[in-house]
């Protein structure tokens, strides 16, 4: 304890005693006593200061938890209201988004087997689907918004859903924001809110949420599987209408259609939804019963004269069906500037294409392949952007806000640990006093 005490305290005590002529042994005892008192006083101030800090941070954490709970309840209520909702004549007006007017040539199946999502309803599968597990999406850079996502339980989907439950994000989505702002930096004359992000294979909507809450871009998305559509539309109806109106959702697969096809989903990896055949991650991987979906050529969905729109970025992840999707969007490809696509030989080969075949389609469409990493290909029209030191400032500002929020969360964690330490200390002191 003497070694830990402030040095000036022991020196002062020793100096005072020596002036009075005290014996050396007495000097050491009194100096030690003074040091212990100073140490105790220091500890009391430390505990009091951190007790106040702990109370303040606990109150802040409680407020955030209450806010998060209110958001979750609002999401649950919104989904309940939107499930099996009775259509009204006002629906066309309530769910309308003028941005997408005159952009599409086809918004429903001729026999009514699918139609463009109306931004109001949860798309419920024929078998009723499954309930939502609600998880916070944490890559929203706006610190005042903590949107909730409807995901699968971890035991059903330990990959995408499991990652969102554990960390609030999926690793393949944050790079999309950076790619988007890299392109915007090179094209400063473009208005962000007039741009389109194309998501081919949206799954449960993790990358959709990434782009909705980190950019101002409009989204056109494709997802065919009924179970994924239930999760995706549940997430979207839980968002404010001004957010939903930035989305046009086609509940179809992208290919060379129109064609009707079975789709197969792995029981433990809901991201492995494969059109036309079973392709397993592992030999023993179980699969759900096949569902029937509709596949359309993206070119057929866009109006022939709709060539004024700009797509800075397209993300594609459709389990080996990427070659067919690109074959069906030759016209729309000319409006796309950056492609980020999955390119995994296992799925491409099983679907009758290949990694080289996909690369050839990308380069033949006028893109330069600028990155091949971890089963993904990134292609830029005209080559990779030449970035200056100040490139991506908008993204960096948003990333700084994210870092700030994560720092706050780390501080809250430290406060909780400090509270536990103080509690253990109080228990120990109480036990020592009673004995």
């Amino acid at each position: 304890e003497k070694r830990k005490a402030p040095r000036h305290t022991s020196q002062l005590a020793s100096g005072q005693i020596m002036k009075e002529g005290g014996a050396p042994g007495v000097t050491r005892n009194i100096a030690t006593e003074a040091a212990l008192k100073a140490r105790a006083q220091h500890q009391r101030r430390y505990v009091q200061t951190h007790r106040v800090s702990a109370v303040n941070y606990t109150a802040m954490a409680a407020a955030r938890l209450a806010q998060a709970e209110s958001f979750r309840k609002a999401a649950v209520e919104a989904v309940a209201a939107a499930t099996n909702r009775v259509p009204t004549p006002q629906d066309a007006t309530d769910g309308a988004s003028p941005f997408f007017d005159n952009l599409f040539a086809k918004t429903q199946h001729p026999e009514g087997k699918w139609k463009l999502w109306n931004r109001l309803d949860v798309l419920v599968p024929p078998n009723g689907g499954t309930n939502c597990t609600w998880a916070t999406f944490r890559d929203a850079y706006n610190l005042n918004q903590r949107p909730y996502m409807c995901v699968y339980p971890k035991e059903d989907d330990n990959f995408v859903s499991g990652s969102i439950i554990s960390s609030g994000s999926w690793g393949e989505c944050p790079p999309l924001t950076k790619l988007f702002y890299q392109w915007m930096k090179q094209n400063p004359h473009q208005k962000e809110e007039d741009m389109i992000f194309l998501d081919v294979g949206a799954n449960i909507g993790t990358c959709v949420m990434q782009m909705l809450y980190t950019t101002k871009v409009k989204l056109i998305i494709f997802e065919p599987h009924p179970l994924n559509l239930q999760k995706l539309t549940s997430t979207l109806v839980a968002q404010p209408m001004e957010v939903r109106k930035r989305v046009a959702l086609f509940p179809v697969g992208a290919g060379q259609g129109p064609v009707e096809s079975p789709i197969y989903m792995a029981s433990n990896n809901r991201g492995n939804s494969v059109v036309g055949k079973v392709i397993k991650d592992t030999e023993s991987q179980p699969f759900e019963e096949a569902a029937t979906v509709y596949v359309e050529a993206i070119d057929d969905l866009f109006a022939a004269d709709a060539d004024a729109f700009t797509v800075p970025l397209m993300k594609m992840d459709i389990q080996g069906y990427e070659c067919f999707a690109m074959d069906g969007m030759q016209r729309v490809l000319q409006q796309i500037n950056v492609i980020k696509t999955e390119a995994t030989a296992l799925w491409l080969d099983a679907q009758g294409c290949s990694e080289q075949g996909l690369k050839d389609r990308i380069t033949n469409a006028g893109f330069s392949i600028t990155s091949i990493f971890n089963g993904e290909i990134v292609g830029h029209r005209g080559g990779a952007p030449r970035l200056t030191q100040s490139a991506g400032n908008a993204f960096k500002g948003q990333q700084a806000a994210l870092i700030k929020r994560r720092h706050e969360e780390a501080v809250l964690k430290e406060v909780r640990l400090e509270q536990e330490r103080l509690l253990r200390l109080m228990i120990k002191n109480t036990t020592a006093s009673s004995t």
Side-chain angles (χ1 to χ4, degrees), residues 290-360:
T292 300
V293 299
Y294 299 89
V295 177
E296 298 280 350
I298 290 179
D299 277 348
D300 293 343
L301 303 177
F302 283 80
D305 57 351
D307 56 0
F309 65 95
T310 302
V311 182
L313 177 63
M314 176 181 74
K315 165 247 170 187
M316 187 163 54
D317 184 352
I318 45 179
Q319 305 305 97
Y321 223 70
E322 289 83 4
C323 293
F324 301 119
M326 291 198 69
D327 290 342
M329 64 167 88
Q330 292 300 303
R331 180 167 56 88
V332 171
L333 273 173
Q334 303 311 308
Q335 311 301 322
I336 298 172
N337 291 276
V338 183
I339 291 177
K340 179 177 179 288
T341 178
E342 184 181 58
T344 307
L346 173 64
W347 282 269
L348 288 168
D349 293 345
Q351 292 286 15
C353 189
S354 66
E355 187 175 346
Q356 186 59 48
L358 181 57
K359 291 178 184 177
D360 291 342

Side-chain angles (χ1 to χ4, degrees), residues 46-78:
Y46 178 85
V47 170
Q48 181 62 28
T49 300
H50 282 75
R51 184 178 291 123
V52 172
S53 298
V55 169
N56 291 338
Y57 279 112
T58 300
M60 184 173 69
R64 286 194 172 183
L65 287 173
Q67 184 185 46
E69 181 61 19
S70 69
F71 286 163
R72 190 192 68 81
K73 287 183 178 179
V76 171
E77 291 171 359

Side-chain angles (χ1 to χ4, degrees), residues 13 30 68 71 85 107 111 116 129 200 207-208 214 220 233 244 247 252 327 341-342 380 388 403 412 419:
I30 296 177
F71 286 163
R85 187 184 61 86
T107 58
E111 299 175 8
L116 189 69
V200 182
C207 294
V208 171
T214 62
I220 300 175
T233 54
R244 282 180 264 167
V247 177
V252 299
D327 290 342
T341 178
E342 184 181 58
H380 288 78
T388 64
I403 292 170
L412 288 173
Q419 287 177 312

